[in-house]
Amino acid sequence: MDIIGFIVKLFLSPQVFAPIVFPGLLTALVVLLIIIWAERKIAARIQMRVGPLYVTRHLGGVLQMLADGTRYMFQEFIVPETADRIPFIVAPILALTLAILPFAFIPSASGFSPISSPLTLPAVLAVISAIPISVLLMGWASNNKFSIQGAVREAFMSLGYEVPLFISAISMSILYGTMSLEEMVTKQFIPGLILNPIAAFTFLVSMIMSAGKLPFDIVEGEQEIVAGPYVEYTGIIFGIGMGLAYLKLYALSLIYTIIFLSGWEPLPKLLYDIYPGIAGIFLFVKAFLLMLFIVFLRSVYGRYRLDQALKIGWRVYFVMSIVSLILSLGVRVILNV
């Protein structure tokens, strides 16, 4: 019984439960499946797409998604003769690792953080900002003109969204007086969305650009460059490449919820006394609703050109992020007074 109790206690500890279960890898995989299905259903309903709307309609079109997943699992993984073999194989693994690593820093409740650090916000953003490096490696190692074009687009896009994203996050850390994600929730007596709506909007658009969702799915560019950096990949590795955007979106949605939507609050004290990790339900619901809104944009917006995205990133959202920084300083001074 002591061994069983030790195993249960270890499993429910923040250091194990958070990165593996919630908000970790297992929950991320479930979210990935559900959000892809929801994205297809929303687009099918709005744009009258036959496949997701009518195939196994009584089952909600689930079988089509399962068929795609089965095809990825059993399709042969081919390394092109012209590809640089080692980077070609290592790059997707590196990308997946970097996409999962942020969950080790994201708290799911007060006192339920896997890594107790006052710098969890910059740590998460630093890991997420490293993902484009692996995408660049995937495109370059493929030695394909479409892959290289997609990799170059990824490099340009990262220049367009990372600066506004970081400045918006920093403006909120100044407002709360901390860079700890857990402390941001405890100090958020008013949701950050209300305190600094400019930072909230800028961060939202920047995270959509970072995740490569419409209207900013420029890196893949199906109509022009097939699948961008992932065009030479097959099987489960191609599935990993397609899933990177959703993993990034999930991580960024959790961060957005913590910074701007009060995270796991409000939490009934009775539930928290039973098990602190249950606070993750509130955090998850908010983040999932945010993801649904973002994938909904796929059905109503056309894609930006690369030059348009870069122009709006630097001329509009960069300026807005600077304004949000000034606003946070002003609000901080007023609240201190």
Short mmCIF file of all heavy atoms in Angstrom, two decimals, residues 104-164:
data_model
loop_
_atom_site.label_atom_id
_atom_site.label_comp_id
_atom_site.label_asym_id
_atom_site.label_seq_id
_atom_site.Cartn_x
_atom_site.Cartn_y
_atom_site.Cartn_z
N ALA A 104 5.92 22.43 -19.42
CA ALA A 104 6.64 22.22 -18.17
C ALA A 104 6.73 23.50 -17.34
O ALA A 104 7.11 23.44 -16.17
CB ALA A 104 8.05 21.70 -18.46
N PHE A 105 6.37 24.64 -17.94
CA PHE A 105 6.46 25.92 -17.24
C PHE A 105 5.09 26.53 -16.94
O PHE A 105 5.00 27.50 -16.19
CB PHE A 105 7.26 26.93 -18.07
CG PHE A 105 8.68 26.51 -18.34
CD1 PHE A 105 9.02 25.83 -19.50
CD2 PHE A 105 9.69 26.79 -17.43
CE1 PHE A 105 10.32 25.45 -19.76
CE2 PHE A 105 11.00 26.41 -17.67
CZ PHE A 105 11.31 25.74 -18.84
N ILE A 106 4.03 26.00 -17.55
CA ILE A 106 2.71 26.60 -17.42
C ILE A 106 1.99 26.02 -16.21
O ILE A 106 1.74 24.81 -16.15
CB ILE A 106 1.87 26.38 -18.69
CG1 ILE A 106 2.57 27.00 -19.90
CG2 ILE A 106 0.48 26.95 -18.53
CD1 ILE A 106 1.88 26.74 -21.22
N PRO A 107 1.63 26.84 -15.22
CA PRO A 107 0.90 26.34 -14.05
C PRO A 107 -0.57 26.09 -14.38
O PRO A 107 -1.15 26.77 -15.23
CB PRO A 107 1.05 27.48 -13.03
CG PRO A 107 1.17 28.70 -13.88
CD PRO A 107 1.90 28.28 -15.13
N SER A 108 -1.16 25.11 -13.72
CA SER A 108 -2.58 24.83 -13.93
C SER A 108 -3.42 25.23 -12.73
O SER A 108 -4.66 25.13 -12.77
CB SER A 108 -2.79 23.33 -14.22
OG SER A 108 -2.26 22.54 -13.18
N ALA A 109 -2.79 25.66 -11.63
CA ALA A 109 -3.50 26.12 -10.44
C ALA A 109 -2.51 26.81 -9.52
O ALA A 109 -1.29 26.72 -9.73
CB ALA A 109 -4.18 24.95 -9.72
N SER A 110 -3.03 27.48 -8.53
CA SER A 110 -2.16 28.14 -7.56
C SER A 110 -1.41 27.08 -6.75
O SER A 110 -2.01 26.16 -6.18
CB SER A 110 -3.00 29.00 -6.61
OG SER A 110 -2.19 29.65 -5.67
N GLY A 111 -0.09 27.18 -6.74
CA GLY A 111 0.72 26.18 -6.05
C GLY A 111 0.85 24.88 -6.81
O GLY A 111 1.33 23.88 -6.27
N PHE A 112 0.40 24.87 -8.06
CA PHE A 112 0.44 23.65 -8.86
C PHE A 112 1.23 23.90 -10.13
O PHE A 112 0.79 23.62 -11.24
CB PHE A 112 -0.99 23.20 -9.20
CG PHE A 112 -1.12 21.70 -9.37
CD1 PHE A 112 -1.16 20.87 -8.27
CD2 PHE A 112 -1.19 21.15 -10.63
CE1 PHE A 112 -1.28 19.50 -8.43
CE2 PHE A 112 -1.30 19.78 -10.79
CZ PHE A 112 -1.35 18.95 -9.68
N SER A 113 2.41 24.45 -9.95
CA SER A 113 3.29 24.75 -11.07
C SER A 113 4.41 23.71 -11.12
O SER A 113 5.04 23.43 -10.09
CB SER A 113 3.89 26.14 -10.93
OG SER A 113 4.77 26.42 -12.00
N PRO A 114 4.66 23.09 -12.28
CA PRO A 114 5.70 22.06 -12.36
C PRO A 114 7.09 22.59 -12.06
O PRO A 114 7.92 21.88 -11.49
CB PRO A 114 5.58 21.55 -13.80
CG PRO A 114 4.89 22.64 -14.55
CD PRO A 114 3.98 23.29 -13.56
N ILE A 115 7.36 23.82 -12.46
CA ILE A 115 8.66 24.44 -12.20
C ILE A 115 8.42 25.76 -11.49
O ILE A 115 7.84 26.69 -12.07
CB ILE A 115 9.45 24.67 -13.51
CG1 ILE A 115 9.77 23.33 -14.17
CG2 ILE A 115 10.73 25.43 -13.23
CD1 ILE A 115 10.54 23.44 -15.47
N SER A 116 8.82 25.84 -10.24
CA SER A 116 8.64 27.06 -9.46
C SER A 116 9.76 28.03 -9.79
O SER A 116 10.90 27.84 -9.36
CB SER A 116 8.60 26.74 -7.97
OG SER A 116 7.52 25.89 -7.67
N SER A 117 9.43 29.04 -10.55
CA SER A 117 10.43 30.02 -10.95
C SER A 117 9.77 31.37 -11.14
O SER A 117 8.61 31.44 -11.60
CB SER A 117 11.11 29.60 -12.26
OG SER A 117 11.93 30.63 -12.77
N PRO A 118 10.43 32.45 -10.77
CA PRO A 118 9.85 33.78 -10.99
C PRO A 118 9.92 34.24 -12.43
O PRO A 118 9.47 35.34 -12.76
CB PRO A 118 10.72 34.67 -10.09
CG PRO A 118 12.04 33.98 -10.03
CD PRO A 118 11.72 32.51 -10.07
N LEU A 119 10.49 33.41 -13.32
CA LEU A 119 10.68 33.80 -14.72
C LEU A 119 10.02 32.82 -15.67
O LEU A 119 10.54 32.52 -16.75
CB LEU A 119 12.18 33.90 -15.02
CG LEU A 119 12.98 34.90 -14.20
CD1 LEU A 119 14.47 34.77 -14.51
CD2 LEU A 119 12.50 36.33 -14.45
N THR A 120 8.85 32.29 -15.30
CA THR A 120 8.18 31.30 -16.16
C THR A 120 7.67 31.91 -17.46
O THR A 120 7.66 31.25 -18.50
CB THR A 120 7.01 30.64 -15.40
OG1 THR A 120 6.21 31.66 -14.79
CG2 THR A 120 7.52 29.69 -14.34
N LEU A 121 7.25 33.18 -17.43
CA LEU A 121 6.75 33.82 -18.65
C LEU A 121 7.84 33.93 -19.71
O LEU A 121 7.65 33.46 -20.84
CB LEU A 121 6.16 35.19 -18.33
CG LEU A 121 5.72 36.02 -19.56
CD1 LEU A 121 4.64 35.30 -20.34
CD2 LEU A 121 5.24 37.40 -19.13
N PRO A 122 9.00 34.55 -19.42
CA PRO A 122 10.05 34.60 -20.46
C PRO A 122 10.56 33.22 -20.84
O PRO A 122 10.98 33.01 -21.98
CB PRO A 122 11.14 35.45 -19.82
CG PRO A 122 10.88 35.43 -18.37
CD PRO A 122 9.40 35.30 -18.21
N ALA A 123 10.53 32.25 -19.91
CA ALA A 123 10.99 30.90 -20.23
C ALA A 123 10.09 30.26 -21.28
O ALA A 123 10.56 29.67 -22.26
CB ALA A 123 11.03 30.04 -18.97
N VAL A 124 8.78 30.39 -21.10
CA VAL A 124 7.82 29.82 -22.06
C VAL A 124 7.97 30.49 -23.42
O VAL A 124 8.02 29.82 -24.46
CB VAL A 124 6.38 29.97 -21.53
CG1 VAL A 124 5.38 29.60 -22.62
CG2 VAL A 124 6.15 29.11 -20.32
N LEU A 125 8.02 31.81 -23.43
CA LEU A 125 8.13 32.53 -24.70
C LEU A 125 9.46 32.23 -25.40
O LEU A 125 9.50 32.17 -26.64
CB LEU A 125 8.00 34.03 -24.45
CG LEU A 125 6.63 34.51 -23.94
CD1 LEU A 125 6.64 36.01 -23.69
CD2 LEU A 125 5.52 34.14 -24.92
N ALA A 126 10.52 32.03 -24.63
CA ALA A 126 11.82 31.71 -25.22
C ALA A 126 11.78 30.36 -25.93
O ALA A 126 12.31 30.21 -27.04
CB ALA A 126 12.90 31.72 -24.15
N VAL A 127 11.14 29.38 -25.29
CA VAL A 127 11.04 28.05 -25.90
C VAL A 127 10.19 28.10 -27.17
O VAL A 127 10.55 27.54 -28.21
CB VAL A 127 10.45 27.04 -24.90
CG1 VAL A 127 10.20 25.70 -25.58
CG2 VAL A 127 11.39 26.85 -23.71
N ILE A 128 9.06 28.81 -27.10
CA ILE A 128 8.18 28.90 -28.27
C ILE A 128 8.87 29.63 -29.42
O ILE A 128 8.72 29.26 -30.60
CB ILE A 128 6.87 29.62 -27.88
CG1 ILE A 128 6.05 28.74 -26.92
CG2 ILE A 128 6.04 29.95 -29.12
CD1 ILE A 128 4.79 29.40 -26.41
N SER A 129 9.66 30.64 -29.09
CA SER A 129 10.37 31.39 -30.15
C SER A 129 11.48 30.58 -30.79
O SER A 129 11.97 30.96 -31.86
CB SER A 129 10.95 32.68 -29.56
OG SER A 129 11.97 32.40 -28.62
N ALA A 130 11.86 29.45 -30.17
CA ALA A 130 12.91 28.60 -30.75
C ALA A 130 12.34 27.61 -31.77
O ALA A 130 13.11 27.01 -32.54
CB ALA A 130 13.65 27.85 -29.64
N ILE A 131 11.03 27.43 -31.78
CA ILE A 131 10.42 26.46 -32.70
C ILE A 131 10.70 26.80 -34.17
O ILE A 131 10.97 25.90 -34.97
CB ILE A 131 8.90 26.35 -32.43
CG1 ILE A 131 8.65 25.79 -31.02
CG2 ILE A 131 8.22 25.47 -33.48
CD1 ILE A 131 7.19 25.72 -30.63
N PRO A 132 10.64 28.08 -34.59
CA PRO A 132 10.94 28.38 -36.00
C PRO A 132 12.32 27.91 -36.46
O PRO A 132 12.51 27.65 -37.65
CB PRO A 132 10.83 29.92 -36.06
CG PRO A 132 9.88 30.26 -34.97
CD PRO A 132 10.15 29.28 -33.88
N ILE A 133 13.28 27.80 -35.53
CA ILE A 133 14.61 27.32 -35.92
C ILE A 133 14.52 25.89 -36.45
O ILE A 133 15.14 25.54 -37.46
CB ILE A 133 15.58 27.38 -34.71
CG1 ILE A 133 15.74 28.83 -34.25
CG2 ILE A 133 16.92 26.78 -35.07
CD1 ILE A 133 16.58 28.98 -33.00
N SER A 134 13.73 25.05 -35.77
CA SER A 134 13.56 23.67 -36.23
C SER A 134 12.81 23.61 -37.55
O SER A 134 13.10 22.76 -38.41
CB SER A 134 12.83 22.85 -35.17
OG SER A 134 11.55 23.38 -34.91
N VAL A 135 11.84 24.53 -37.75
CA VAL A 135 11.11 24.57 -39.02
C VAL A 135 12.05 24.98 -40.15
O VAL A 135 11.99 24.43 -41.27
CB VAL A 135 9.91 25.54 -38.91
CG1 VAL A 135 9.18 25.63 -40.26
CG2 VAL A 135 8.94 25.08 -37.83
N LEU A 136 12.92 25.94 -39.88
CA LEU A 136 13.93 26.33 -40.87
C LEU A 136 14.81 25.15 -41.24
O LEU A 136 15.13 24.93 -42.41
CB LEU A 136 14.80 27.46 -40.31
CG LEU A 136 14.19 28.86 -40.29
CD1 LEU A 136 15.07 29.81 -39.48
CD2 LEU A 136 14.01 29.39 -41.70
N LEU A 137 15.20 24.37 -40.23
CA LEU A 137 16.04 23.20 -40.47
C LEU A 137 15.30 22.16 -41.31
O LEU A 137 15.90 21.53 -42.21
CB LEU A 137 16.47 22.60 -39.14
CG LEU A 137 17.47 21.44 -39.19
CD1 LEU A 137 18.77 21.87 -39.86
CD2 LEU A 137 17.75 20.92 -37.78
N MET A 138 14.00 21.99 -41.05
CA MET A 138 13.22 21.04 -41.83
C MET A 138 13.16 21.45 -43.30
O MET A 138 13.34 20.61 -44.20
CB MET A 138 11.80 20.95 -41.26
CG MET A 138 11.71 20.33 -39.87
SD MET A 138 10.08 20.51 -39.11
CE MET A 138 9.10 19.42 -40.13
N GLY A 139 12.92 22.72 -43.56
CA GLY A 139 12.84 23.18 -44.93
C GLY A 139 14.16 23.11 -45.65
O GLY A 139 14.23 22.69 -46.82
N TRP A 140 15.24 23.51 -44.97
CA TRP A 140 16.56 23.51 -45.60
C TRP A 140 17.06 22.09 -45.85
O TRP A 140 17.63 21.81 -46.92
CB TRP A 140 17.56 24.25 -44.72
CG TRP A 140 18.89 24.43 -45.37
CD1 TRP A 140 20.02 23.69 -45.17
CD2 TRP A 140 19.23 25.40 -46.35
NE1 TRP A 140 21.03 24.14 -45.96
CE2 TRP A 140 20.59 25.20 -46.70
CE3 TRP A 140 18.52 26.44 -46.97
CZ2 TRP A 140 21.23 25.99 -47.64
CZ3 TRP A 140 19.18 27.22 -47.92
CH2 TRP A 140 20.53 26.99 -48.23
N ALA A 141 16.83 21.18 -44.90
CA ALA A 141 17.29 19.80 -45.05
C ALA A 141 16.54 19.07 -46.15
O ALA A 141 17.05 18.10 -46.72
CB ALA A 141 17.15 19.05 -43.73
N SER A 142 15.32 19.50 -46.47
CA SER A 142 14.53 18.83 -47.50
C SER A 142 15.11 19.04 -48.90
O SER A 142 14.87 18.25 -49.81
CB SER A 142 13.08 19.32 -47.47
OG SER A 142 12.47 19.00 -46.24
N ASN A 143 15.85 20.15 -49.07
CA ASN A 143 16.48 20.44 -50.36
C ASN A 143 15.45 20.46 -51.49
O ASN A 143 15.65 19.89 -52.56
CB ASN A 143 17.59 19.42 -50.67
CG ASN A 143 18.52 19.90 -51.77
OD1 ASN A 143 18.59 21.10 -52.06
ND2 ASN A 143 19.22 18.98 -52.41
N ASN A 144 14.36 21.14 -51.23
CA ASN A 144 13.27 21.27 -52.19
C ASN A 144 12.90 22.75 -52.28
O ASN A 144 12.85 23.44 -51.26
CB ASN A 144 12.07 20.44 -51.71
CG ASN A 144 10.85 20.59 -52.60
OD1 ASN A 144 10.22 21.65 -52.61
ND2 ASN A 144 10.51 19.54 -53.32
N LYS A 145 12.65 23.25 -53.47
CA LYS A 145 12.43 24.69 -53.62
C LYS A 145 11.20 25.17 -52.86
O LYS A 145 11.19 26.28 -52.31
CB LYS A 145 12.32 25.06 -55.09
CG LYS A 145 11.16 24.43 -55.84
CD LYS A 145 11.14 24.88 -57.30
CE LYS A 145 9.97 24.27 -58.06
NZ LYS A 145 9.95 24.69 -59.47
N PHE A 146 10.16 24.33 -52.80
CA PHE A 146 8.97 24.72 -52.05
C PHE A 146 9.24 24.71 -50.55
O PHE A 146 8.77 25.57 -49.81
CB PHE A 146 7.80 23.79 -52.38
CG PHE A 146 7.36 23.85 -53.82
CD1 PHE A 146 7.44 22.75 -54.63
CD2 PHE A 146 6.87 25.04 -54.35
CE1 PHE A 146 7.03 22.80 -55.95
CE2 PHE A 146 6.46 25.11 -55.66
CZ PHE A 146 6.54 23.99 -56.47
N SER A 147 10.00 23.71 -50.10
CA SER A 147 10.36 23.63 -48.68
C SER A 147 11.20 24.82 -48.26
O SER A 147 10.98 25.40 -47.19
CB SER A 147 11.12 22.33 -48.41
OG SER A 147 10.35 21.20 -48.73
N ILE A 148 12.17 25.18 -49.10
CA ILE A 148 13.04 26.30 -48.77
C ILE A 148 12.24 27.61 -48.75
O ILE A 148 12.45 28.46 -47.88
CB ILE A 148 14.21 26.37 -49.76
CG1 ILE A 148 15.12 25.14 -49.59
CG2 ILE A 148 15.01 27.65 -49.56
CD1 ILE A 148 16.23 25.04 -50.60
N GLN A 149 11.33 27.77 -49.70
CA GLN A 149 10.48 28.96 -49.69
C GLN A 149 9.65 29.03 -48.41
O GLN A 149 9.51 30.10 -47.81
CB GLN A 149 9.56 28.96 -50.91
CG GLN A 149 10.26 29.28 -52.22
CD GLN A 149 9.29 29.34 -53.37
OE1 GLN A 149 8.24 29.99 -53.28
NE2 GLN A 149 9.60 28.67 -54.46
N GLY A 150 9.10 27.90 -47.99
CA GLY A 150 8.34 27.88 -46.75
C GLY A 150 9.20 28.19 -45.54
O GLY A 150 8.76 28.90 -44.62
N ALA A 151 10.44 27.69 -45.54
CA ALA A 151 11.35 27.97 -44.43
C ALA A 151 11.71 29.45 -44.37
O ALA A 151 11.77 30.06 -43.29
CB ALA A 151 12.61 27.13 -44.57
N VAL A 152 11.93 30.05 -45.53
CA VAL A 152 12.25 31.48 -45.58
C VAL A 152 11.04 32.29 -45.11
O VAL A 152 11.19 33.29 -44.38
CB VAL A 152 12.66 31.89 -47.00
CG1 VAL A 152 12.80 33.40 -47.11
CG2 VAL A 152 13.98 31.22 -47.37
N ARG A 153 9.86 31.86 -45.48
CA ARG A 153 8.66 32.54 -45.00
C ARG A 153 8.55 32.46 -43.48
O ARG A 153 8.14 33.43 -42.83
CB ARG A 153 7.41 31.92 -45.65
CG ARG A 153 7.23 32.24 -47.12
CD ARG A 153 5.89 31.71 -47.61
NE ARG A 153 5.66 32.03 -49.01
CZ ARG A 153 4.50 31.89 -49.63
NH1 ARG A 153 3.45 31.42 -48.94
NH2 ARG A 153 4.35 32.20 -50.89
N GLU A 154 8.89 31.31 -42.93
CA GLU A 154 8.87 31.15 -41.47
C GLU A 154 9.84 32.13 -40.82
O GLU A 154 9.52 32.75 -39.78
CB GLU A 154 9.25 29.72 -41.10
CG GLU A 154 9.31 29.44 -39.60
CD GLU A 154 7.95 29.47 -38.95
OE1 GLU A 154 6.98 29.00 -39.56
OE2 GLU A 154 7.86 29.96 -37.80
N ALA A 155 11.02 32.30 -41.41
CA ALA A 155 12.00 33.24 -40.87
C ALA A 155 11.46 34.67 -40.91
O ALA A 155 11.58 35.42 -39.92
CB ALA A 155 13.30 33.13 -41.65
N PHE A 156 10.86 35.05 -42.03
CA PHE A 156 10.31 36.40 -42.15
C PHE A 156 9.14 36.60 -41.18
O PHE A 156 9.04 37.66 -40.53
CB PHE A 156 9.85 36.66 -43.59
CG PHE A 156 10.94 37.11 -44.50
CD1 PHE A 156 11.36 36.31 -45.55
CD2 PHE A 156 11.55 38.34 -44.32
CE1 PHE A 156 12.37 36.72 -46.40
CE2 PHE A 156 12.56 38.77 -45.17
CZ PHE A 156 12.98 37.95 -46.21
N MET A 157 8.27 35.60 -41.07
CA MET A 157 7.11 35.74 -40.20
C MET A 157 7.53 35.88 -38.74
O MET A 157 6.91 36.64 -37.98
CB MET A 157 6.19 34.53 -40.37
CG MET A 157 5.37 34.54 -41.65
SD MET A 157 4.22 35.92 -41.74
CE MET A 157 3.12 35.52 -40.40
N SER A 158 8.57 35.15 -38.33
CA SER A 158 9.01 35.25 -36.95
C SER A 158 9.49 36.67 -36.62
O SER A 158 9.34 37.14 -35.50
CB SER A 158 10.14 34.24 -36.67
OG SER A 158 11.28 34.52 -37.46
N LEU A 159 10.05 37.35 -37.63
CA LEU A 159 10.45 38.74 -37.44
C LEU A 159 9.24 39.65 -37.30
O LEU A 159 9.31 40.71 -36.67
CB LEU A 159 11.30 39.21 -38.62
CG LEU A 159 12.66 38.52 -38.81
CD1 LEU A 159 13.33 39.02 -40.08
CD2 LEU A 159 13.56 38.76 -37.61
N GLY A 160 8.11 39.24 -37.88
CA GLY A 160 6.92 40.08 -37.87
C GLY A 160 6.09 39.98 -36.61
O GLY A 160 5.40 40.93 -36.24
N TYR A 161 6.14 38.82 -35.91
CA TYR A 161 5.25 38.65 -34.77
C TYR A 161 5.96 38.56 -33.42
O TYR A 161 5.36 38.85 -32.38
CB TYR A 161 4.37 37.41 -34.94
CG TYR A 161 5.09 36.09 -34.95
CD1 TYR A 161 5.59 35.53 -33.78
CD2 TYR A 161 5.25 35.37 -36.12
CE1 TYR A 161 6.26 34.31 -33.78
CE2 TYR A 161 5.90 34.15 -36.14
CZ TYR A 161 6.39 33.62 -34.97
OH TYR A 161 7.04 32.41 -34.98
N GLU A 162 7.23 38.17 -33.39
CA GLU A 162 7.87 37.92 -32.09
C GLU A 162 8.05 39.20 -31.27
O GLU A 162 7.82 39.18 -30.05
CB GLU A 162 9.23 37.24 -32.30
CG GLU A 162 9.13 35.75 -32.52
CD GLU A 162 10.47 35.05 -32.44
OE1 GLU A 162 11.49 35.74 -32.26
OE2 GLU A 162 10.49 33.82 -32.55
N VAL A 163 8.43 40.29 -31.92
CA VAL A 163 8.66 41.53 -31.16
C VAL A 163 7.37 42.05 -30.53
O VAL A 163 7.32 42.32 -29.33
CB VAL A 163 9.31 42.60 -32.06
CG1 VAL A 163 9.43 43.92 -31.31
CG2 VAL A 163 10.68 42.14 -32.53
N PRO A 164 6.25 42.17 -31.28
CA PRO A 164 4.99 42.59 -30.64
C PRO A 164 4.53 41.62 -29.56
O PRO A 164 4.00 42.04 -28.53
CB PRO A 164 3.99 42.64 -31.80
CG PRO A 164 4.82 42.81 -33.02
CD PRO A 164 6.09 42.07 -32.75
#
